[in-house]
């Protein structure tokens, strides 16, 4: 670019074209992120778990595709609870290491599933579809967190104060001869 065009003022038309282009890129990026693929490992390391599972549910936005990838043998993905209006059927046949299947989650809500042969061992999973595709924030309502060392000092101080008060009571009530000569 020459110095003359580099410093030239931007016309209203050029500005609007730039804004429209940026909006189109942002809209494309947003829809692409909503339709991204997430992965759930089935039986990783030969363990009877889904990763992520129930303790750490997978949060996704509507339209996200989830790929279930078998990492060990003799597992399935059988839905035990789906949101009203959802038609997710999981994958009920027992499969082995190397198998995978995908599902796209459109309906918002909580999807719970289990491995039928290993449900008694706790092999269960949860997918939560919400608008943001993220776990809800704690909101900061819990207040500041007090470190364990500060709690220990507080308990020790309270114990010391109660000891001093108890000893003062005992000495005032039972200790010493306080009779004064008349």
């Amino acid at each position: 670019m020459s110095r003359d065009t580099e410093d030239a003022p931007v016309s209203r038309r050029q500005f609007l074209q730039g804004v429209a282009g940026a909006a189109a890129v942002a809209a494309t990026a947003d829809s692409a992120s909503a339709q991204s693929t997430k992965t759930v490992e089935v039986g990783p390391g030969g363990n009877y778990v889904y990763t992520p599972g129930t303790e750490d549910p997978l949060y996704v936005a509507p339209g996200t595709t989830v790929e279930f990838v078998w990492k060990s043998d003799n597992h399935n993905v059988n839905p035990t609870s789906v949101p009203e209006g959802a038609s997710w059927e999981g994958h009920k046949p027992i499969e082995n290491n190397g198998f995978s299947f995908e599902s796209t989650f459109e309906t918002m809500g909580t999807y719970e599933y289990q491995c039928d042969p290993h449900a008694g061992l706790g092999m269960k999973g949860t997918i939560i579809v919400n608008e943001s595709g993220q776990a809800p924030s704690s909101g900061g309502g819990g207040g500041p967190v007090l470190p364990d060392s500060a709690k220990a000092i507080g308990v020790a101080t309270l114990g010391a104060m109660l000891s001093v008060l108890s000893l003062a009571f005992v000495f005032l009530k039972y200790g010493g001869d306080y009779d004064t000569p008349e």
Side-chain angles (χ1 to χ4, degrees), residues 45-134:
N47 296 314
Y48 302 119
V49 296
Y50 296 103
T51 304
T54 298
E55 298 293 322
D56 58 336
L58 176 62
Y59 287 87
V60 298
T64 302
T65 298
V66 177
E67 180 181 20
F68 293 82
V69 179
W70 270 243
K71 297 294 186 175
S72 60
D73 296 338
N74 302 316
H75 303 294
N76 71 348
V77 178
N78 186 11
T80 56
S81 174
V82 296
E84 187 175 323
S87 60
W88 185 58
E89 296 180 5
H91 186 82
K92 294 177 186 170
I94 305 297
E95 301 293 349
N96 294 320
N97 188 24
F99 179 80
S100 68
F101 84 97
E102 292 182 347
S103 291
T104 301
F105 293 84
E106 299 288 348
T107 305
M108 293 201 317
T110 301
Y111 296 77
E112 296 175 335
Y113 52 94
Q114 69 181 21
C115 173
D116 290 333
H118 305 114
L121 298 172
M123 190 168 179
K124 298 178 181 185
T126 304
I127 296 173
I128 299 173
V129 181
N130 61 15
E131 194 64 41
S132 69
Q134 302 291 324

Side-chain angles (χ1 to χ4, degrees), residues 24-41:
V25 168
T28 303
D30 187 40
S31 66
S33 68
Q35 296 175 359
S36 64
T37 300
K38 303 286 184 173
T39 302
V40 172
E41 293 185 341

